[in-house]
Amino acid sequence: MGFKRVVVVFSMVLCCAGLAMAQTEWVDDPGNPVLGPGEPGSWDDGGRWVVSVIRVDATYHLWYGGFDDPLEANGIGHATSPDGVEWTMDPANPVLTQGEPGTWDRWFWFPSPAVMYDGAEFHMWYAGTASSSGTLIQGGYATSPDGSAWTKYEGNPVL
């Protein structure tokens, strides 16, 4: 059997094992929603979309897309929690802001962002567009040492 075939078969076995062990029953928390819109007049008072949650050590980190009402601005927010239910908003919110008029990420596109932690640094991939109509959506990349202070990659968009 060739190397490629072994890799394909091994990958299929891993995927099937993962599906067999996947969560099949979910129960809604009676306290839902655990994250509602921001306070009136805030940058995210029009709504929030939770799109990425990871656990680092004993802390859950949540990133969400937020927008104001009326939709004139949007950004990416961050919150932390010890239990995944009670969330503390990051005082730096929004932790990633939209670009200046005319830039490729003038508007963030939802659902966005996706975040991972490699043990030393947080990595975010997010979608942006130059217009609120979303005619051309592109992908950006940013990094952070703490999940709060983000640096957009100078070579954006990466996709």
Side-chain angles (χ1 to χ4, degrees):
M1 190 181 298
F3 178 74
K4 288 183 181 179
R5 187 173 296 208
V6 170
V7 170
V8 169
V9 170
F10 184 71
S11 299
M12 290 173 56
V13 169
L14 285 177
C15 288
C16 291
L19 288 173
M21 296 171 34
Q23 180 74 32
T24 58
E25 291 186 34
W26 294 90
V27 178
D28 281 339
D29 188 284
N32 281 339
V34 296
L35 190 66
E39 297 295 321
S42 67
W43 70 276
D44 58 355
D45 65 352
R48 295 173 176 159
W49 280 283
V50 175
V51 292
S52 191
V53 178
I54 61 174
R55 187 171 180 191
V56 176
D57 299 323
T59 302
Y60 289 95
H61 291 263
L62 176 148
W63 291 271
Y64 62 93
F67 62 94
D68 65 358
D69 183 25
L71 183 56
E72 295 175 357
N74 64 9
I76 295 174
H78 176 237
T80 57
S81 171
D83 59 9
V85 177
E86 298 294 325
W87 293 94
T88 301
M89 292 291 126
D90 192 320
N93 280 339
V95 296
L96 196 68
T97 57
Q98 64 196 62
E100 295 298 318
T103 59
W104 76 271
D105 65 348
R106 175 63 181 133
W107 294 93
F108 292 130
W109 195 253
F110 304 109
S112 174
V115 180
M116 65 171 279
Y117 182 69
D118 67 6
E121 187 172 50
F122 291 89
H123 303 266
M124 177 190 296
W125 291 266
Y126 61 97
T129 181
S131 71
S132 60
S133 64
T135 53
L136 176 63
I137 301 168
Q138 300 179 80
Y141 173 66
T143 58
S144 171
D146 59 5
S148 179
W150 290 91
T151 301
K152 291 181 182 180
Y153 177 62
E154 288 185 26
N156 279 335
V158 296
L159 180 65

